Amino acid sequence: MRKNLKKYRAPYLFILPFFLLFFVFQLIPVLWTVYISFTEWRGIGTPEFVGVRNYQKLWIDEMFWESFFNTIIYWIFGLVLIMAFALLIAVLLNSSLLKGRAFFKTATFLPNICAAIAMGLIFRMLFDENMGLINEVLAIFSVEKVPWLSGMEYSKIPVILLIVWRNTPWYTMIILSGLLNISNDYFEAATVDGANVFQKFVYITIPSIRAILFFCSVTLTVEMWKVFNESYILPGPGTSNTSLFQYMYESGFNVFNMGYASAIGVFLMAVLTIISLIQFMAKRKQGEL
Amino acid sequence: MGYGKKRHLQSIVIHGILAVIVFICLFPIAWMCLISLKDTQESLTGFHSLWVESPTLNNFKRLAELIPIGQNAFNSIFTTVVGTITSLFFCSLAGFAFAKYRFPGRDFLFYFVIATMLVPVEVGAVPLFVIMKKLNLINSLWSLIIPKIATAIGIFYMNQYISEVPDELVEAAKIDGCSDFGIYLKIVVPIIKPALASWGAVTLISRWNDFFWPLLFLRKQAKYTLIVTISLLPISEGLSTPWPVILAGTTVVILPIIILYLILERFQKGGSFAGAVKG
């Protein structure tokens, strides 16, 4: 053991920073969160152990359930829309008929570079009920003014649109890298056999990039459960847009209810673990892992 | 319908759909730049927002009066640049160790690194704040840099890329008596430049745009990064900051990073191993 350490001192030293940082800034905080969630703590003084009381409070807290429900909406719409658009754009960008590919690739990637907070402010103006451009355009089709940001039933739409607008390019890029690896022979053979565009898409493209699509949906799921910026900068009336992660932040750092915030954190962690497990089990069942 | 004609039609459809998508992608950005140049007296209602009567830079001046923009910009640039450079260095160093050394426990440790990606560090925000306070890093830009010096995803990416570096190169350097760090610096780094450029671009963007961590760790205006300052603009003048001034703020955040991205994009291509093996 000691001999090995000496012989391989360099590589161990090279990977050491990661493990140190992981320990201090990831593992300890996560475990500590579990502990704090069983206490009553205002951020100062000693935490007082209260058992599962924070979790009992969660159970009957309507705001918690609303933010949970909101997060599910963001997750479902984000996942479905982003995957659909990313796949569409990637397939278009990969088409052999496309001219000016470099331009289209760069232009469709730009939203991903723009800060969600800054874009959120722009969306606020675009979707403004009285002076926003969106309502003005809709007025041409004689649609009544829509209270995008102040109406309970509409306020999540700008948030979802911002999430989709900003995140799609990243997944487009990943899917496109997968499409580039599909051998052209398959498509040529299919063309000879008389397959049309949609048949080629369903029987060649999709199966070839299944692993990448799976990877995208897993990472996207984690991202969507952690939505914070978009709903923070585009708040609807009351808590109608609050995400779970945002509710955790507000409970901890606006109301200084650290124990309660930690309980929300633990809940979030549990949800993410369960979802990842289900996804990997489903994958294993298909015999692909 | 003939084959050529069908292809022609397909081509039109493809370009048409992409043109619409590009419009949706670029319109909000272009619109923002436009409004940031509008005089605050001009109408912003609906279609009026699409036209600038007399372009002015006054909004940027107002912005500078409203917030310490120079200080905040410095904070953003500092955390982004230092954060990206340190992260590239430590991630590629660890990636190199995993890719080119057969040390005991390597596979286990590598899977461990990957598995840490599934633990969302954000859920530990409350204790992380306490840790930062104990380390005296609240209101310090280092609170944003240090935890992300070596990230799992960065190590994974670098490992993938460095694995493709031919083993002969590393072996030859070892025989020549090159130290381990020397091999990294003189052999590996020059070859993985394209990977460093593309990972560097990704890191730059995410650091520049980071909002949650600066919001959490930086608690006074002189220490804010641009993003945090901008997020507070709508309420900074008693709820009545004019929209052109706010959008001048978002322009300051968005435009530099777009320009930087367009420049960096040129460095991402190329990078051949063949030359390195021969030479």
Side-chain angles (χ1 to χ4, degrees), chain A residues 23-280:
Chain A
F23 194 72
V24 178
F25 294 112
Q26 196 167 353
L27 189 63
I28 291 180
V30 167
L31 296 178
W32 200 348
T33 304
V34 178
Y35 168 72
I36 298 175
S37 75
F38 293 109
T39 67
E40 168 89 48
W41 190 38
R42 299 255 140 207
I44 37 171
T46 356
E48 181 199 342
F49 190 81
V50 292
V52 294
R53 205 168 75 197
N54 285 320
Y55 293 94
Q56 286 169 335
K57 271 203 289 188
L58 276 189
W59 185 251
I60 49 166
D61 179 2
E62 267 177 45
M63 265 155 79
F64 167 74
W65 288 110
E66 188 172 5
S67 57
F68 177 62
F69 171 74
N70 292 343
T71 311
I72 290 181
I73 301 251
Y74 296 146
W75 173 41
I76 292 172
F77 279 93
L79 188 65
V80 171
L81 293 175
I82 291 172
M83 290 300 278
F85 280 118
L87 195 55
L88 170 74
I89 299 170
V91 167
L92 291 175
L93 286 176
N94 195 41
S95 163
S96 57
L97 297 169
L98 184 65
K99 291 195 184 82
R101 193 184 318 272
F103 163 76
F104 284 112
K105 254 169 98 169
T106 306
T108 52
F109 188 72
L110 287 186
N112 196 248
I113 299 169
C114 303
I117 293 298
M119 289 321 295
L121 292 172
I122 297 165
F123 270 49
R124 259 200 222 174
M125 198 179 159
L126 266 177
F127 285 94
D128 192 277
E129 186 180 348
N130 294 312
M131 48 167 264
L133 197 56
I134 302 277
N135 273 348
E136 192 94 346
V137 172
L138 288 176
I140 299 175
F141 307 100
S142 42
V143 177
E144 295 264 320
K145 279 191 172 158
V146 182
W148 294 108
L149 299 166
S150 51
M152 286 282 247
E153 58 276 71
Y154 300 104
S155 65
K156 280 193 244 332
I157 295 172
V159 178
I160 292 167
L161 290 178
L162 179 58
I163 291 172
V164 173
W165 186 83
R166 234 182 64 77
N167 288 288
T168 300
W170 181 254
Y171 296 93
T172 304
M173 202 181 65
I174 297 176
I175 293 173
L176 184 61
S177 73
L179 292 180
L180 291 172
N181 285 332
I182 306 176
S183 163
N184 223 353
D185 298 350
Y186 294 126
F187 289 106
E188 274 162 23
T191 311
V192 171
D193 290 344
N196 66 31
V197 177
F198 294 103
Q199 286 168 325
K200 281 187 222 168
F201 179 74
V202 172
Y203 293 109
I204 301 175
T205 309
I206 294 288
S208 309
I209 55 167
R210 210 185 278 162
I212 283 187
L213 293 178
F214 173 69
F215 169 79
C216 287
S217 64
V218 172
T219 45
L220 199 48
T221 297
V222 176
E223 288 302 310
M224 289 301 113
W225 277 87
K226 293 196 303 195
V227 160
F228 180 85
N229 296 353
E230 288 87 349
S231 58
Y232 178 94
I233 203 70
L234 291 169
T239 49
S240 65
N241 282 5
T242 309
S243 73
L244 204 51
F245 182 31
Q246 196 185 345
Y247 190 50
M248 178 189 101
Y249 174 81
E250 276 161 16
S251 309
F253 297 97
N254 289 353
V255 205
F256 297 102
N257 209 338
M258 301 295 186
Y260 194 59
S262 297
I264 301 170
V266 171
F267 179 83
L268 196 53
M269 196 157 40
V271 169
L272 281 171
T273 312
I274 291 167
I275 293 174
S276 325
L277 282 179
I278 292 173
Q279 282 174 319
F280 278 100

Side-chain angles (χ1 to χ4, degrees), chain B residues 84-183:
Chain B
T84 303
I85 292 172
T86 50
S87 179
L88 281 180
F89 173 71
F90 284 103
C91 289
S92 59
L93 200 59
F96 167 56
F98 279 122
K100 291 298 166 202
Y101 291 89
R102 302 268 164 278
F103 54 87
R106 185 190 69 146
D107 291 347
F108 170 76
L109 289 173
F110 188 66
Y111 285 120
F112 186 86
V113 171
I114 308 252
T116 64
M117 283 195 256
L118 294 174
V119 184
V121 59
E122 286 87 346
V123 301
V126 170
L128 209 45
F129 184 85
V130 179
I131 291 173
M132 287 297 176
K133 212 169 174 180
K134 291 237 160 87
L135 295 173
N136 238 333
L137 287 174
I138 296 297
N139 282 329
S140 162
L141 299 175
W142 292 101
S143 64
L144 305 176
I145 296 168
I146 294 170
K148 291 194 211 154
I149 268 180
T151 60
I153 178 97
I155 293 172
F156 177 71
Y157 180 82
M158 286 301 164
N159 172 70
Q160 297 284 90
Y161 208 90
I162 298 171
S163 299
E164 289 171 30
V165 174
D167 281 332
E168 300 92 60
L169 282 176
V170 179
E171 293 304 323
K174 247 182 216 164
I175 292 165
D176 290 346
C178 209
S179 70
D180 294 286
F181 188 71
I183 297 173

Side-chain angles (χ1 to χ4, degrees), chain B residues 34 37-39 41-43 48 50-56:
Chain B
L34 196 74
L37 298 174
K38 254 167 110 73
D39 193 280
Q41 303 302 317
E42 284 182 37
S43 168
H48 292 292
L50 293 173
W51 185 248
V52 182
E53 294 276 332
S54 48
T56 165

Side-chain angles (χ1 to χ4, degrees), chain B residues 222-236:
Chain B
K223 284 292 169 191
Y224 287 163
T225 56
L226 273 181
I227 300 280
V228 178
T229 303
I230 297 306
S231 78
L232 297 170
L233 267 183
I235 48 168
S236 61

